[in-house]
Amino acid sequence: PHLTTRDCSHRLQIVKALTIRGVDAHLARALEKEQARRGTSLNQAVLDLLRQALGVSGEGPRSNGLGKLAGTWSAEELEEFEVHTESFEQVDEDLWR
């Protein structure tokens, strides 16, 4: 049977090409450095970075690893921290003249 594009469009993955204009020298160097670090083509490095930044890579957004520390202090540790940093809340009036 003869299939039209409409008939099989659900089976085809549409591939888009994208031109990015206005890439300054600083960004270009950073992309080239990242490409070399990854050992991939520049195109693949950019695709991977975009997927990662947009959270569509399956890995989720890039993390600095600090999220696992959030909310891990006990009430006693928080109180101790606040006692030891209380002086940071005081304004030295002589410095602000």
Side-chain angles (χ1 to χ4, degrees):
H2 177 70
L3 295 177
T4 66
T5 304
R6 182 175 178 223
D7 295 330
C8 60
S9 64
H10 66 282
R11 297 183 204 159
L12 298 176
Q13 185 177 29
I14 298 177
V15 179
K16 301 263 184 189
L18 177 67
T19 301
I20 300 175
R21 293 183 178 88
V23 178
D24 60 47
H26 183 72
L27 178 57
R29 282 192 302 274
L31 287 170
E32 289 168 354
K33 187 176 179 181
E34 183 64 15
Q35 173 241 334
R37 187 188 74 77
R38 291 172 181 253
T40 64
S41 68
L42 182 58
N43 187 73
Q44 188 61 54
V46 170
L47 288 173
D48 291 345
L49 288 166
L50 286 170
R51 285 185 186 107
Q52 190 175 35
L54 296 172
V56 295
S57 67
E59 299 172 12
R62 192 173 188 175
S63 170
N64 63 11
L66 296 176
K68 63 185 174 191
L69 298 175
T72 59
W73 283 4
S74 67
E76 293 81 22
E77 290 170 321
L78 175 58
E79 184 178 346
E80 181 181 353
F81 175 80
E82 289 178 337
V83 166
H84 286 91
T85 59
E86 188 175 357
S87 64
F88 299 156
E89 300 297 323
Q90 298 171 2
V91 175
D92 185 338
E93 297 296 332
D94 291 336
L95 291 175
W96 288 97
R97 288 185 191 185

